[in-house]
Amino acid sequence: MMKAGLDIPETKVNKEKPPTYLLPPDYITLGAYPDLSEWTGIHRTYRKGMQEFNHDDFSKLVIKGKGKNFQLHTWEYFFTEQLSGFVISQSAKKLEALRAVEGFGCYIGKEGYAYVEKASEVIEMIEEECVATPSTVVPADDLIQNSQWYGGCDIYNLYHYRWQKEAYAQLEETGVWGEEPTAVDGFIPFTGAYYSDSANHPILNYWTDQENIFIPSSLVSLLSRNDPS
C-alpha cells in the first residue's frame, strides 16, 4: 500500500470488525525464517496482563467500572539479524511484480521492525521427494503420516486464513496495489513443526530449487486448500 502511494488503513484496537489486508489467494505466503548459520536468541519474560486480548483499557487515562480480569502471560522476544521470507505462485509474472516492495518495511510482531533488503529473482522450483532440512515449517500431520516424527523440531500452534469466495474475484490491482480489504472469515488452526537444527533431515516431498530451498509440499497444499465460504 505504501508502494502504491495509498494511506495506511485505520486499525483501531477493539474495533467491531477491523479490515484485513492480505495478498490475494493466488499468492501463497510461507513465513519468514532466520538463517540457521547465524546467531539468534529468544528472551522469555512473564508479565501480568489482561485476560482478553482485544482490550484497550491500558491506553485509557481513567478506567471506570468493575475490576478487570488479569492473568499471567508469557512473552517471548525473538532476536535475529535477518529473516528470509518465501512467497510462491503459479504465475512468474505476479511474483515479479512483488519485487517492487524492495526497500519498504513495517512493524512485525509486538516490538519488531523489518524491511525488505533484497527481493530475489523469480526462482523456478520442481517437486521431488528427498532428504533435506525444511526451509519453512512443516505441517505436523505430514511428519506423522510419513513416519518422520522424531526429535529435533519445535512445535507451534499456527493458523491460516479462511478465504471467502469474494477474495478469489479480487483483481491484482485491487488485491496487491489497491486499498480494498481482503475477504476472509476468521482462520483455520493447524500444528506446525520447525527444524531449527540443520542436522535433522526428514524425508518428505518438497518444492525445491535443488540447491538451498526445500519447501514441504504439504505446506503448500495446506495453504492452498480452502473451501471458500
Side-chain angles (χ1 to χ4, degrees):
M1 300 182 79
M2 293 173 63
K3 174 63 179 178
L6 302 174
D7 292 332
I8 302 299
E10 187 271 323
T11 54
K12 181 181 177 182
V13 175
N14 205 22
K15 191 175 179 180
E16 182 176 345
K17 191 176 181 181
T20 301
Y21 295 91
L22 308 170
L23 288 173
D26 48 354
Y27 293 91
I28 303 177
T29 56
L30 305 174
Y33 305 87
D35 185 341
L36 297 181
S37 65
E38 301 290 338
W39 180 88
T40 61
I42 295 178
H43 172 66
R44 184 178 291 109
T45 185
Y46 303 93
R47 297 191 304 183
K48 184 173 67 174
M50 290 294 192
Q51 191 173 52
E52 298 82 11
F53 281 97
N54 63 346
H55 75 91
D56 60 357
D57 286 338
F58 286 164
S59 63
K60 299 178 180 178
L61 295 178
V62 178
I63 301 176
K64 298 181 179 180
K66 298 181 180 180
K68 304 299 180 179
N69 295 323
F70 288 85
Q71 72 176 28
L72 188 65
H73 294 287
T74 300
W75 295 92
E76 291 185 340
Y77 295 88
F78 177 62
F79 295 87
T80 186
E81 290 291 334
Q82 191 175 52
L83 296 168
S84 295
F86 302 95
V87 180
I88 63 175
S89 175
Q90 292 182 335
S91 169
K93 180 180 178 181
K94 290 184 176 182
L95 289 176
E96 184 66 33
L98 286 185
R99 299 186 66 213
V101 302
E102 192 172 284
F104 286 85
C106 64
Y107 281 104
I108 58 174
K110 181 175 174 59
E111 301 289 349
Y113 185 85
Y115 71 97
V116 181
E117 181 179 40
K118 181 180 179 181
S120 74
E121 300 284 344
V122 175
I123 301 171
E124 184 176 357
M125 297 191 292
I126 64 171
E127 186 177 20
E128 67 177 20
E129 183 182 72
C130 60
V131 180
T133 299
S135 301
T136 65
V137 295
V138 184
D141 287 348
D142 190 20
L143 297 175
I144 296 173
Q145 293 170 6
N146 288 282
S147 301
Q148 295 292 307
W149 189 259
Y150 53 84
C153 60
D154 301 315
I155 303 300
Y156 296 93
N157 291 319
L158 306 171
Y159 67 89
H160 60 96
Y161 288 98
R162 185 189 302 274
W163 301 99
Q164 294 180 326
K165 61 182 179 181
E166 290 81 6
Y168 292 86
Q170 283 187 313
L171 299 175
E172 184 174 345
E173 290 75 14
T174 57
V176 178
W177 307 118
E179 55 187 0
E180 179 183 343
T182 308
V184 294
D185 183 22
F187 57 87
I188 303 172
F190 72 99
T191 302
Y194 178 64
Y195 286 85
S196 57
D197 186 349
S198 58
N200 292 308
H201 304 137
I203 304 173
L204 299 170
N205 286 326
Y206 295 97
W207 284 100
T208 175
D209 63 351
Q210 297 184 304
E211 293 183 9
N212 302 310
I213 302 174
F214 297 90
I215 297 172
S217 301
S218 58
L219 180 63
V220 176
S221 298
L222 176 69
L223 299 183
S224 303
R225 188 179 68 246
N226 187 193
D227 296 326
S229 58

